[in-house]
Amino acid sequence: MNRKIALISIPTGVLGIGLSALLALKFYSLETQAIQKDFQQDINEQVHRLEAKIDAKLEAINSLKLLFDSSEQVTPKEFQQFTHNLLARHKDIQALEWVPKVKHADRATFIKQRQQNYPAFEITQQVSQGKMVRAQKRAEYYPVSFLEPFAGNELALGFDLASDATRKRAITLATDTGMVQSTSNLTLVQEQEEQKGFITFIPVYQDQPNTLDSRRQRLEGLVLGVFRISDLVNGAIQPGAIDAINLQLMDTSNPEDIPYVRQSRLGQPMPEHEYRSDLKSIAGQQWTIAAIPSNVYFNEKRSGLPWAVFWVGLVFTVLTEAYVFFILRQSKLVETVVRDRTKELEEANKKLSLISTTDELTHIANRRHFNDCLDKEWKRAIREQTPMTLFLINLDFFRQFNEGYGFVAGDECLKKIASQLESLLKRPADLVVRFEGETFALLLPNTANAEPLAQRCIESIEALKIKHIYSPISEYVTVSIGVGFVRPAHDIPMTKLVEKATQALLQAKDAGRNQHSFIHIPSFADTLVPSDPASQELQFQSQ
């Protein structure tokens, strides 16, 4: 009997310890994945904060441009008073400047006028960091004429931006396009430390030229904002949010150019968890955030669950070995425990499967789940000779909504739209999907006459009254819908339904938006089914 117990207890003990270790490692791995996801979300949040910060600065510079657009001649005092309020709200702007276009023939007159306010004023160029000399003769100059704050930026006054190739290139692009343009990373002339910065230009013209030649001829000058990159990034980062994270800001077009580095003093970096997030284009400048967490970041977020699982498993194994005789007699109880654990694992797998088929933002089905459902329902429709309808629903002018209200408001808008669409569907087989970006899809099996539902979708979305002052067609968020209808058959590829729904969506947009367009895909199956409109009505009328 003892030998039998030994033959059973030894393998059982080894197996118990092994399973405990494997289960602990599994929980450890899942926890690591969750922390990695939290880390990426933390970085994305800081990226959004930085983007919002930069957008606010660009708006400030644009308001300065409006001052010059609305005045025939802005005086130094007016410039000082106007920029004083802007700089009070935006302390991380290094300087706001006015740079007129000065032809060589007008150089002496221009210098004399500016010397009324600054007796030592001269048009200068840089020969080395901190050293300025009188600018060489050029056909035209772009000297810094107005400058606030003056303290700390003295060297920039009178500096001819055309004397530097990087600045001149940005001036040319801004002038020729009529749009805001930023330089690449550079060292500011007033910089006294080893910090990188950039300059953003907005051109100011006489009248409103609309051709390249007229823009070049009618350019009066440029308003510009000067930024230290470190001041901008440090001002945007949430205090304490990345203390245990190593951060780099790099030029996307030139990854070797790293104008900002923030090294964490907490723990050792973990390069295997590096995450990169691209910022949206900033007036022609494209940056990427590269972040590496330290082991302190991971350790602070780890729980004791994996170790608890291991020790619980180990204790369980010891108890099992101590009472192996009783466990052998109670095999049924052991089977119950195994069954329960198996059920828990199955439930965990189901949860993981649900995550892989659900859109993270809106919590409705994602494109992957849509493709699986479309394939299944298409085959069912062919077998049962039933119709199928697909809606493609696109939010009108959503890019302007994001630019005007910000991406956080855009995400909230998408959530509300998804919830509203989901509330309109009552049948179990109907599916609402976030198709891509601001486009949703409704897959409606066994449905022929869905145009009333399309109109109801349009009306219910507008009834949400989500403000959209940037939309030219409505004060609220609206949608355009493309409706594709087909009776699936072997002679029609499944992708044809998506293609025609997309074509219908484009027709609805071309027709003015906030409406739907319908396309029927004819098939051989149409001739096999009696034309009975009453039997093809969508089953929403009674719900």
Side-chain angles (χ1 to χ4, degrees):
M1 183 65 180
N2 290 336
R3 183 179 180 183
K4 181 179 179 181
I5 293 176
L7 290 174
I8 296 176
S9 63
I10 292 176
T12 301
V14 172
L15 180 62
I17 295 173
L19 286 175
S20 298
L22 288 175
L23 193 58
L25 288 174
K26 179 64 175 178
F27 274 92
Y28 185 88
S29 176
L30 291 174
E31 189 174 66
T32 300
Q33 294 174 20
I35 296 173
Q36 173 73 10
K37 187 175 180 180
D38 288 343
F39 167 64
Q40 294 176 1
Q41 289 176 343
D42 287 344
I43 297 304
N44 288 335
E45 181 180 348
Q46 301 310 313
V47 167
H48 289 326
R49 288 174 63 90
L50 179 56
E51 290 174 340
K53 172 76 74 173
I54 294 174
D55 285 342
K57 308 310 166 191
L58 294 180
E59 289 178 6
I61 302 172
N62 193 61
S63 68
L64 181 58
K65 174 186 180 296
L66 295 177
L67 172 66
F68 283 86
D69 287 340
S70 61
S71 176
E72 292 186 1
Q73 183 175 5
V74 177
T75 66
K77 184 176 181 180
E78 289 174 337
F79 183 87
Q80 183 182 35
Q81 291 175 342
F82 189 85
T83 56
H84 176 78
N85 294 329
L86 288 179
L87 292 170
R89 297 195 303 270
H90 302 279
K91 298 184 183 298
D92 39 14
I93 295 179
Q94 175 65 24
L96 292 172
E97 302 174 0
W98 164 243
V99 178
K101 177 182 177 182
V102 179
K103 296 182 178 179
H104 179 71
D106 301 325
R107 175 173 177 167
T109 302
F110 173 78
I111 292 174
K112 186 175 182 180
Q113 291 174 346
R114 294 304 295 125
Q115 286 178 345
Q116 294 176 9
N117 299 98
Y118 297 97
F121 182 86
E122 180 58 83
I123 297 180
T124 61
Q125 66 183 52
Q126 186 181 43
V127 293
S128 62
Q129 189 63 33
K131 184 176 181 180
M132 312 296 286
V133 299
R134 190 173 186 272
Q136 298 176 357
K137 179 180 177 179
R138 297 184 183 83
E140 57 187 28
Y141 309 89
Y142 293 87
V144 177
S145 179
F146 296 165
L147 168 66
E148 289 296 334
F150 183 71
N153 297 296
E154 297 89 344
L155 284 177
L157 185 65
F159 174 56
D160 176 21
L161 278 73
S163 65
D164 175 75
T166 299
R167 294 169 173 85
K168 184 62 169 64
R169 183 164 51 251
I171 289 174
T172 301
L173 285 173
T175 301
D176 291 351
T177 61
M179 300 177 67
V180 59
Q181 182 67 41
S182 290
T183 65
S184 56
N185 308 321
L186 47 75
T187 301
L188 305 174
V189 295
Q190 61 266 51
E191 183 58 63
Q192 299 180 358
E193 301 178 8
E194 295 183 1
Q195 294 191 55
K196 292 290 186 178
F198 68 96
I199 305 173
T200 299
F201 298 86
I202 302 181
V204 177
Y205 304 98
Q206 298 174 2
D207 303 324
Q208 295 182 348
N210 53 15
T211 65
L212 177 61
D213 289 339
S214 63
R215 282 193 285 268
R216 291 176 176 177
Q217 294 172 5
R218 298 181 185 178
L219 178 71
E220 292 186 346
L222 305 100
V223 295
L224 55 93
V226 182
F227 302 94
R228 281 194 176 98
I229 294 176
S230 59
D231 292 345
L232 199 60
V233 177
N234 290 335
I237 291 175
Q238 189 175 9
I242 60 169
D243 289 345
I245 297 175
N246 299 281
L247 207 64
Q248 288 185 346
L249 181 71
M250 61 184 65
D251 189 328
T252 304
S253 61
N254 182 17
E256 300 300 322
D257 186 1
I258 304 176
Y260 176 86
V261 176
R262 181 189 180 101
Q263 295 289 348
S264 172
R265 298 180 180 178
L266 302 176
Q268 298 299 317
M270 304 174 71
E272 66 273 19
H273 295 293
E274 180 180 2
Y275 176 66
R276 297 193 176 196
S277 179
D278 294 333
L279 277 74
K280 66 182 182 181
S281 179
I282 305 165
Q285 177 79 335
Q286 187 68 59
W287 285 337
T288 297
I289 290 285
I292 298 177
S294 71
N295 58 343
V296 172
Y297 180 93
F298 268 70
N299 292 339
E300 286 178 345
K301 291 181 176 289
R302 285 204 184 279
S303 67
L305 183 60
W307 278 108
V309 170
F310 175 75
W311 285 112
V312 167
L314 190 60
V315 169
F316 180 77
T317 301
V318 171
L319 292 176
T320 301
E321 291 299 304
Y323 297 97
V324 64
F325 180 76
F326 301 99
I327 292 174
L328 289 174
R329 290 186 175 183
Q330 300 177 18
S331 60
K332 188 174 182 179
L333 177 60
V334 173
E335 291 174 359
T336 302
V337 172
V338 172
R339 185 169 59 251
D340 290 343
R341 288 192 175 183
T342 301
K343 183 178 180 181
E344 290 174 0
L345 290 174
E346 289 174 352
E347 290 175 354
N349 289 333
K350 288 180 181 179
K351 289 180 180 179
L352 290 174
S353 176
L354 180 62
I355 292 173
S356 69
T357 59
T358 302
D359 180 63
E360 181 180 356
L361 175 65
T362 60
H363 304 299
I364 61 175
N366 60 16
R367 181 71 175 271
R368 175 182 177 182
H369 189 50
F370 167 83
N371 292 337
D372 293 340
C373 290
L374 178 59
D375 179 68
K376 179 181 69 176
E377 294 298 338
W378 187 271
K379 293 175 181 177
R380 187 204 304 271
I382 292 176
R383 291 195 308 270
E384 300 176 1
Q385 297 184 9
T386 54
M388 181 179 294
T389 298
L390 173 65
F391 288 6
L392 286 183
I393 305 170
N394 182 263
L395 276 65
D396 296 327
F397 304 104
F398 191 68
R399 179 176 63 82
Q400 290 84 345
F401 185 97
N402 268 337
E403 292 175 350
Y405 294 102
F407 287 94
V408 174
D411 289 348
E412 289 301 318
C413 175
L414 291 174
K415 292 178 183 178
K416 292 179 181 179
I417 299 299
S419 178
Q420 185 68 5
L421 293 175
E422 196 171 32
S423 69
L424 294 174
L425 301 183
K426 306 298 182 182
R427 301 183 306 179
D430 296 333
L431 181 68
V432 59
V433 180
R434 185 177 181 193
F435 196 74
E436 61 180 10
E438 67 269 25
T439 301
F440 297 85
L442 299 186
L443 181 62
L444 308 171
N446 195 17
T447 301
N449 181 19
E451 292 190 79
L453 176 61
Q455 187 59 36
R456 191 185 311 172
C457 289
I458 292 172
E459 293 171 356
S460 66
I461 296 304
E462 193 164 17
L464 291 174
K465 295 187 176 181
I466 303 173
K467 281 288 188 179
H468 192 352
I469 63 173
Y470 305 98
S471 170
I473 63 172
S474 174
E475 62 177 317
Y476 302 116
V477 170
T478 60
V479 294
S480 300
I481 302 179
V483 181
F485 166 70
V486 67
R487 289 187 180 276
H490 292 291
D491 61 329
I492 299 178
M494 183 173 60
T495 56
K496 194 74 171 179
L497 181 59
V498 177
E499 175 185 339
K500 289 302 180 181
T502 303
Q503 182 180 341
L505 176 59
L506 294 176
Q507 291 177 359
K509 286 180 170 291
D510 292 341
R513 309 192 187 219
N514 196 20
Q515 58 184 280
H516 69 273
S517 179
F518 175 85
I519 292 181
H520 171 222
I521 307 170
S523 70
F524 176 74
D526 289 328
T527 64
L528 302 178
V529 179
S531 179
D532 182 4
S535 66
Q536 298 175 1
E537 283 290 330
L538 185 65
Q539 300 175 24
F540 287 89
Q541 307 303 322
S542 61
Q543 298 171 354

